[in-house]
Amino acid sequence: MLTSEERAEIEAEAGHYPTRKALCIEALEVVQRHRGWVSDDALRDVAALLGMTPDELDGVATFYNLVFRKPVGRHVALFCDSVSCWIMGANRLREHLCQRLGVAPGGTTSDGRFTLLPVVCLGACDHAPAMMVDGDLHLDLDPAVDPAKVDAILERYP
Amino acid sequence: MAETPLTARIRPGAEPLDLAGYERAGGLEGLHKALQMTPAAVTAAVKDSTLRGRGGAGFLTGLKWSFVPTGPTTPRPRYLVANADEMEPGSFKDRLLLEGDPLQLIEGMVIAGYAVQADVAFLFLRREYTLAAERLRRAIAQAYAGGLLGRDILGSGYALELHLHVSAGRYMCGEETGLLNSLEGRRANPRTKPPFPPVAGLWGKPTLINNVETLCNVPHVLARGAEWFRALGSPRNGGTKLYGVSGKVKRPGLWELPMGTTVGELLDRAGGMRDGLRFRGCLPGGASTDFLTDAHLGVHLDFDEVPKAGSRLGTGTMIVLDDRTCPVGMLENLEHFFAQESCGLCTPCWSGLHWCERILTALEAGEGRPQDLQVLEFQTRFNAPGHTFCALAPGAVEPLQSALKYYRDDFERHIRERRCPWR
Ligand SMILES: Cc1cc2nc3c(=O)[nH]c(=O)nc-3n(C[C@H](O)[C@H](O)[C@H](O)COP(=O)(O)O)c2cc1C
Ligand code: SF4
Ligand code: FES
């Protein structure tokens, strides 16, 4: 069941589009904002609300990189794996994060605190390597330059 | 001092100006002028300015606007979309405009909307641009409150609704017809062209799509005139350009410079290479452009001159390759991106780009075979323009084909020495 809050947030966008279906990406975002991810049940509820079949909605949901169809941790750390960051040390950043968090990209820490995922260029290529945690952009993160910096950032997300 | 209309109101590290401040700093002059002209005259002025699309293709903006049918018997509603998806690796220009001066974009959208008599506008923003989203929401609310959006804009009788759409992340959302599908709540696969979006776009209605930087130029064209705008740039390439440099230069960054600035001048802005490193080449306009080398430092970075050197201006944000970075590794990273973001619709792209990535991974691991380079070359032809549904695949093989030309020795060394010489 969608909560009345979720439903209200979805319907708030309804006036922007001539069809119900066009709401679906924002509806998935609303659900994800409240629950962290989109479960099969939530997917069915959103589909019913918008007059879509669950399969049709899942086809859309699985197309997009930022719709999570599996549970994620309390915080999601997106490290940029695109070219400018790669040149500037994105692999070192990835290895540092994997080692500190004890997970591989795609994984969630056993205490449920972090999910670590690669992301496409964050538009911060002049401050590479870059990472985004829960929507906050963090810049200039080469562990070879400042190994403590990344650790200090992670500390801010208990 | 060269003029910098696009960034003049942007103060690094500070909040953008509010509507009152924006107006005091010269904002809305273009919109006021436009609303006193006929829509056709606005389009004509933009055409005359030689403003070209900053999304990468450099299509003449005013000409695109003129394709939108606006007569009394033509279909409605008409739509306008600002493309703020910016996911091309190495590109970081639109983020500055979105975060730094959101009202400038809104003003540009209202003028563009007026010119094509649009009823509804969407601002299509990638989800990771969270700070931009927050500032845009505030700016849109101010614009509605100040009478720049909604009914009877500034007393002109013209009406435009504007909605912010936050995307869920996929490079194909930036491709204009993929974007339309995404806005309709579908997968961002591209659509067949023709019909082109100005004729049949969102829900089959006429839809004008422009890049953020393109639209941000529009208020200045109207405020200062087409002639002034042309004089800022190079022949048939009016205006300034937000140029960026990333990679191992001394001062990576973004600068607003006259259109037609040379590769060498831009590198100088970035302070040149870091000490001890040599410039080997660059992708001048993001991941999907061909390499230029140190033979091209004099090339003028505009939509006509870069193609003469075998590449494209693209987004104008340059990615620099230095001599301690492996070109094969760089290509592996690039083709990984393109293979991952392929929408899966056509075979040369979804199959070919993964194949390219695998070969490049093998080369990096010291498992390359001599025939691999022929396969890579075949793939660059197989994915050439015209063989695939959209421009993702041709863009994906641009850096590959030029790397095979300019850095051939490096590819061959990987095979011969059975290792990556940079590791
Ligand atoms: C795969 C792909 C991704 C694209 N991504 C973007 C983008 O993020 N932003 C953008 O403005 N244009 C992007 N484009 C170009 C658009 O299709 C379109 O040409 C552009 O938005 C038109 O605006 P303009 O005429 O103002 O440049 C992309 C094209 C392709 C093929
Ligand atoms: S070229 Fe690639 S991204 Fe474009 S339609 Fe074909 S498969 Fe999809
Ligand atoms: S390549 Fe990492 S932010 Fe652009």
Side-chain angles (χ1 to χ4, degrees):
Chain A
M1 280 288 283
L2 298 174
T3 65
S4 53
E5 202 184 344
E6 287 168 334
R7 226 189 314 253
E9 284 177 31
I10 294 169
E11 295 300 343
E13 308 279 334
H16 300 175
Y17 307 97
T19 65
R20 296 286 286 167
K21 176 178 168 154
L23 276 170
C24 73
I25 289 166
E26 276 155 331
L28 293 168
E29 196 276 329
V30 167
V31 168
Q32 189 163 298
R33 181 149 32 86
H34 286 278
R35 310 175 185 205
W37 65 297
V38 180
S39 66
D40 288 350
D41 283 346
L43 186 100
R44 269 192 286 274
D45 293 339
V46 171
L49 185 72
L50 302 181
M52 298 169 75
T53 66
D55 284 349
E56 184 187 14
L57 182 59
D58 205 17
V60 176
T62 53
F63 186 86
Y64 294 95
N65 299 334
L66 295 174
V67 177
F68 303 144
R69 289 286 281 113
K70 285 191 209 155
V72 293
R74 286 196 298 289
H75 307 288
V76 177
L78 303 169
F79 65 93
C80 172
D81 70 348
S82 290
V83 61
S84 305
C85 287
W86 177 84
I87 291 171
M88 303 303 286
N91 285 352
R92 283 191 293 275
L93 173 61
R94 185 196 61 218
E95 277 155 27
H96 186 91
L97 288 166
C98 288
Q99 192 252 325
R100 281 293 185 274
L101 300 175
V103 290
T108 299
T109 56
S110 52
D111 59 359
R113 182 171 154 217
F114 274 109
T115 296
L116 182 63
L117 290 170
V119 73
V120 169
C121 177
L122 288 165
C125 327
D126 52 343
H127 290 282
M131 164 170 88
M132 176 163 267
V133 186
D134 297 350
D136 308 327
L137 188 58
H138 299 284
L139 306 171
D140 302 305
L141 298 178
D142 185 355
V145 175
D146 185 354
K149 187 171 178 180
V150 179
D151 300 340
I153 289 168
L154 293 178
E155 285 309 309
R156 282 153 57 185
Y157 301 90
Chain B
M1 239 334 248
E3 291 191 80
T4 56
L6 281 178
T7 54
R9 284 182 294 254
I10 298 179
R11 302 161 302 170
E15 288 289 316
L17 296 175
D18 64 7
L19 185 53
Y22 180 75
E23 214 171 341
R24 272 197 302 279
L28 300 191
E29 204 184 311
L31 178 58
H32 280 290
K33 282 201 180 146
L35 293 174
Q36 276 150 29
M37 298 159 66
T38 63
V42 174
T43 299
V46 172
K47 203 163 152 186
D48 195 29
S49 75
T50 70
L51 171 62
R52 294 167 71 170
R54 306 298 198 235
F59 195 82
L60 197 60
T61 303
L63 186 61
K64 192 194 275 187
W65 293 11
S66 72
F67 296 155
V68 179
T70 54
T73 57
T74 52
R76 300 192 82 144
R78 280 186 283 271
Y79 293 102
L80 166 72
V81 180
N83 189 342
D85 194 52
E86 191 161 71
M87 277 178 78
E88 167 100 357
S91 301
F92 52 103
K93 65 185 186 72
D94 294 340
R95 186 164 72 87
L96 178 79
L97 296 169
L98 295 162
E99 291 178 357
D101 198 357
L103 284 164
Q104 173 173 257
L105 173 61
I106 293 169
E107 184 183 355
M109 289 179 74
V110 179
I111 297 171
Y114 175 73
V116 302
Q117 291 289 291
D119 304 287
V120 180
F122 289 104
L123 209 168
F124 189 100
L125 181 72
R126 69 178 291 199
R127 181 154 333 152
E128 295 91 332
Y129 281 7
T130 50
L131 183 61
E134 184 188 314
R135 291 178 174 179
L136 284 165
R137 283 203 181 92
R138 223 177 307 144
I140 291 168
Q142 285 176 23
Y144 269 107
L148 307 182
L149 289 170
R151 261 177 289 189
D152 194 19
I153 292 171
L154 298 178
S156 65
Y158 172 60
L160 182 71
E161 275 176 45
L162 192 159
H163 307 300
L164 180 67
H165 174 96
V166 178
S167 175
R170 196 75 194 250
Y171 178 50
M172 272 303 295
C173 294
E175 198 281 335
E176 55 186 13
T177 61
L179 186 155
L180 297 178
N181 277 334
S182 189
L183 263 176
E184 291 185 8
R186 304 167 198 275
R187 297 163 79 100
N189 296 115
R191 298 179 179 179
T192 321
K193 297 190 250 189
F196 290 91
V199 176
L202 276 175
W203 297 286
K205 307 291 189 196
T207 305
L208 174 68
I209 305 164
N210 275 128
N211 169 259
V212 167
E213 187 184 352
T214 310
L215 289 163
C216 288
N217 274 293
V218 167
H220 305 289
V221 171
L222 272 293
R224 311 282 295 275
E227 198 177 327
W228 167 84
F229 191 80
R230 279 201 308 271
L232 292 177
S234 53
R236 293 181 310 284
N237 285 264
T240 58
K241 177 78 192 78
L242 275 182
Y243 291 108
V245 183
S246 66
K248 291 189 177 162
V249 292
K250 286 209 178 83
R251 286 190 306 273
L254 200 57
W255 301 272
E256 183 180 2
L257 300 170
M259 186 64 111
T261 296
T262 65
V263 175
E265 285 164 348
L266 185 54
L267 282 170
D268 287 345
R269 283 281 165 157
M273 300 304 291
R274 287 187 176 181
D275 291 334
L277 297 182
R278 196 169 59 79
F279 174 84
R280 285 202 75 198
C282 68
L283 303 175
S288 61
T289 57
D290 283 272
F291 277 95
L292 296 178
T293 67
D294 51 9
H296 300 116
L297 296 178
V299 170
H300 292 274
L301 291 164
D302 70 26
F303 290 111
D304 295 318
E305 293 302 313
V306 185
K308 290 182 193 161
S311 185
R312 294 187 303 118
L313 178 59
T315 58
T317 43
M318 166 187 296
I319 306 160
V320 172
L321 172 67
D322 62 87
D323 62 343
R324 297 234 200 111
T325 298
C326 172
V328 178
M330 181 171 171
L331 261 298
E332 182 197 7
N333 176 280
L334 290 166
E335 298 312 326
H336 167 74
F337 162 78
F338 288 113
Q340 168 188 299
E341 295 298 322
S342 165
C343 82
L345 204 61
C346 30
T347 310
C349 177
W350 70 254
S351 162
L353 298 183
H354 281 285
W355 195 356
C356 290
E357 183 193 353
R358 281 197 195 178
I359 289 178
L360 292 161
T361 303
L363 290 176
E364 278 290 275
E367 292 158 9
R369 300 162 309 167
Q371 61 269 37
D372 284 345
L373 300 191
Q374 278 132 45
V375 177
L376 290 176
E377 264 159 1
F378 166 78
Q379 288 295 344
T380 64
R381 291 191 300 273
F382 200 41
N383 282 285
H387 295 192
T388 59
F389 223 79
C390 86
L392 183 144
V397 295
E398 283 178 35
L400 182 58
Q401 68 192 10
S402 45
L404 285 166
K405 183 162 81 188
Y406 296 128
Y407 310 118
R408 183 115 201 153
D409 286 352
D410 301 301
F411 283 84
E412 286 171 352
R413 260 187 85 189
H414 279 72
I415 297 170
R416 208 170 47 240
E417 298 179 17
R418 305 196 66 77
R419 68 185 182 105
C420 171
W422 276 267
R423 285 198 191 150

